[in-house]
Amino acid sequence: MFEAFESDRGGAVVRRLLARAVDTSPDLRLVVLRLLGDLCPQADTWPAAADVAVGALGDPDDRVRRAAARLFVAAAGPEEAAGVLFGSSDPVARTALAEALWPPLLQFGDRGNQWAETVGRMRRDELPAVRFLGACSALLSADPPDWPMLDAAVRADLVPAAEALGGVGGRISWRAGERWAIALRRRDREQDAYATVAQLVRAGEGELARQAGLGIAGEAMWTWRAAPARLAPVLSAVLAEPASAVCTSAVGVVCASLTATRLVADQLAEMVVESRVSATVATALGCVGDARAVPELLRLLRGGQPHPRLGEALAAVALAVSDPTSLVATAQHVLAEHQGSCHQGQDWHSSPALVAVRCLSALGPDAAVAVPDLTAVLAEAMERGALAEGRLVVSALEEIGAAAAPAVPLLRQFAVSNDAAADLAVRALLRITGNRRIADDHLDSRPEELRRCRIAPDLFDWLVQHGGLTDRQVRQLNHLFTPPGLMQARVAIAYWRQHGPPAVPALLGTLPQYLDDEAYARPAMEALAAMGPHAQPVIPALDRLIASRHRTAVYLGDFDAEMRADEQHLQLALTTRAQIIASLS
């Protein structure tokens, strides 16, 4: 359909699709209107689709009317849709039109008075959901003295709006509290957000109001670094209540944040046995290295349906347990059960086998007893040409180190089986055997003006610490450090160890630019920590990063994951700063 639309918007295929919008089946009408909404060009109108949407606004099915409202805003444009909004007498259609207008209002909220008349009429509307959206929109551009009045208007219509918004067919996922939260975030009203959460989540409020407060709490945590610590006491009180939908939602908000999880860890540890939240709580505790989560994490792994954060949790908790026996044994059992999972129809990347490999990789030398199991998985992956699986297992064997020596022959085969995988096998062989000839041969096969070699930073760093670099390797290292980018950050620690104090000007001239970039920050900060007192000039830059009220921009497609990435980034900056300060004494 997309190809047909791109080639000829007025062609036979598109005309046929438009005609099906009046099919006798409401389910089909819904699908067609949704598809038409997805087809609408973002920078243009589509009169034919707008005509179809207008007709569907009177459909007897509520879902279809909501889908028609979304289509009309997309096809006719927000200005035309605003006129239809105020001319409609149907509450469902009008609410859906106002809801579909919300994204354009977000875009234009800070562009003068273009939408002032529309927003004003929405605020005076007879429908609470429309008034609510109007007040939230007004907050986007209102002067601070007007905020209390608008907040009161939002609060007055919050519950009925929460009941009306988000109906099936509208394709808008924001709940009422999240819309209010967006308005607070856009105006950077941090303290007001905390106060609003505290008011809404009180035990005396109704469920919809409390859920809205939790929505604001989640948005606040995504936005402001202080939010987890500020809101943890408020959310902790909700966690102490008897089981309810509100309590379950509060668990989700708390467990999404590493900081909040640490602050209420004792309370969460008591909830691990509650089936409604056990997976969420156990993985959150595991991700902060709390060993109390291990029994439940292993139960989840054995269960065969891993939680999305289970691999991360087991990898983190593996570093904290004093006795890894149960972790290793369970991982071995899972690998034995799930060999060949891909050709049995299961996606390796979401399989228990992958989680087990991640766990063994995190355990490193403590997982030596599992080398035969990993070798068997690697052999099978090679036989099936499953490169992604093989690379993950190779990394686990690398982390185990010298105890993985029985896997060396197979790793040598893997190194020549596919050019894309050869690098990882070479690095693993180097760390397992300690034979520098492996690194020397690999670097000798690369040009002196080295540009791309993902394992080169690791090879250089190992060689510097095990006998030093050859003259040619020094030139390769210098060339790799010259162009800005990820490779420059990754090779910086080897560059420092090779050149020492004479390299300080070059390092201090380049590494600070990577401190606020989550993707580049870790290798850059590791190099700065290794420099010790020579890195003292970067302390002000680290202080600015640490003092920022807002999260560092990270783009992972998941707000919770982006928040956790910033929390880890902040902790890395604090650790780096402390290491540099300690080196000065």
Side-chain angles (χ1 to χ4, degrees), residues 381-456:
M382 291 171 61
E383 183 179 348
R384 292 187 285 108
L387 183 61
E389 296 178 36
R391 289 164 62 174
L392 293 166
V393 178
V394 167
S395 296
L397 291 167
E398 176 186 350
E399 294 301 323
I400 291 172
V408 165
L410 191 60
L411 287 170
R412 293 190 187 279
Q413 294 178 36
F414 190 77
V416 298
S417 64
N418 190 298
D419 291 342
D423 284 358
L424 296 180
V426 166
R427 189 177 64 191
L429 286 166
L430 175 64
R431 291 188 60 182
I432 292 169
T433 66
N435 181 0
R436 72 164 290 149
R437 187 71 253 168
I438 294 171
D440 289 336
D441 290 346
H442 188 79
L443 292 171
D444 286 347
S445 70
R446 297 297 188 269
E448 187 169 304
E449 293 188 356
L450 194 57
R451 294 184 181 275
R452 290 184 180 179
C453 181
R454 56 182 165 176
I455 66 168

Side-chain angles (χ1 to χ4, degrees), residues 348-370:
W348 167 267
H349 289 282
S350 62
S351 73
L354 169 59
V355 176
V357 170
R358 287 189 64 182
C359 179
L360 294 172
S361 181
L363 287 167
D366 288 335
V369 69

Side-chain angles (χ1 to χ4, degrees), residues 43-368:
D44 195 7
T45 58
W46 187 8
D51 291 342
V52 167
V54 167
L57 285 173
D59 195 278
D61 191 297
D62 289 355
R63 303 171 304 158
V64 175
R65 296 204 298 282
R66 294 190 188 100
R70 172 180 178 258
L71 172 60
F72 187 74
V73 173
E79 293 84 358
E80 186 74 18
V84 174
L85 163 65
F86 299 116
S88 172
S89 59
D90 174 45
V92 172
R94 292 180 63 221
T95 298
L97 283 166
E99 196 168 11
L101 279 169
W102 172 256
L105 290 173
L106 284 178
Q107 296 176 25
F108 298 121
D110 56 356
R111 298 184 185 180
N113 297 321
Q114 179 178 357
W115 285 89
E117 181 179 352
T118 298
V119 169
R121 292 186 67 182
M122 290 175 68
R123 290 180 55 204
R124 297 188 299 272
D125 199 271
E126 64 183 25
L127 294 178
V130 177
R131 292 198 303 268
F132 173 84
L133 292 172
C136 287
S137 300
L139 281 170
L140 297 172
S141 57
D143 294 328
D146 294 330
W147 290 348
M149 176 266 296
L150 289 169
D151 284 337
V154 171
R155 178 64 183 93
D157 289 321
L158 176 63
V159 172
E163 294 173 336
L165 297 172
V168 178
R171 297 285 290 272
I172 301 293
S173 60
W174 292 318
R175 294 176 297 176
E178 292 164 343
R179 295 172 192 273
W180 192 358
I182 289 171
L184 293 168
R185 171 176 56 81
R186 287 286 187 95
R187 304 307 302 273
D188 199 22
R189 297 174 59 191
E190 181 178 4
Q191 303 306 318
D192 290 343
Y194 301 154
T196 301
V197 171
Q199 292 169 4
L200 291 177
V201 303
R202 292 178 300 188
E205 297 288 348
E207 180 178 339
L208 290 176
R210 302 186 81 196
Q211 291 283 12
L214 293 173
I216 297 173
E219 184 85 27
M221 288 188 181
W222 296 337
T223 305
W224 297 292
R225 282 179 166 170
R230 287 291 303 274
L231 295 177
V234 175
L235 299 175
S236 175
V238 182
L239 299 184
E241 297 176 3
S244 67
V246 171
C247 184
T248 299
S249 296
V251 168
V253 173
V254 169
C255 290
S257 163
L258 301 174
T259 305
T261 297
R262 290 189 183 97
L263 290 171
V264 297
D266 290 341
Q267 195 171 5
L268 290 173
E270 296 177 357
M271 303 176 73
V272 170
V273 296
E274 299 180 24
S275 58
R276 65 189 175 90
V277 295
S278 57
T280 300
V281 168
T283 51
L285 289 172
C287 286
V288 298
D290 194 318
R292 291 175 290 186
V294 168
E296 178 62 18
L297 293 175
L298 295 183
R299 188 192 69 79
L300 292 171
L301 181 56
R302 289 190 300 267
Q305 296 293 329
H307 185 278
R309 296 177 67 192
L310 182 58
E312 178 188 353
L314 283 169
V317 83
L319 304 176
V321 296
S322 57
D323 181 4
T325 304
S326 62
L327 292 174
V328 176
T330 302
Q332 288 179 285
H333 174 75
V334 168
L335 288 181
E337 280 196 340
H338 292 272
Q339 283 190 34
S341 59
C342 279
H343 65 264
Q344 293 172 5
Q346 185 173 27
D347 179 9
W348 167 267
H349 289 282
S350 62
S351 73
L354 169 59
V355 176
V357 170
R358 287 189 64 182
C359 179
L360 294 172
S361 181
L363 287 167
D366 288 335

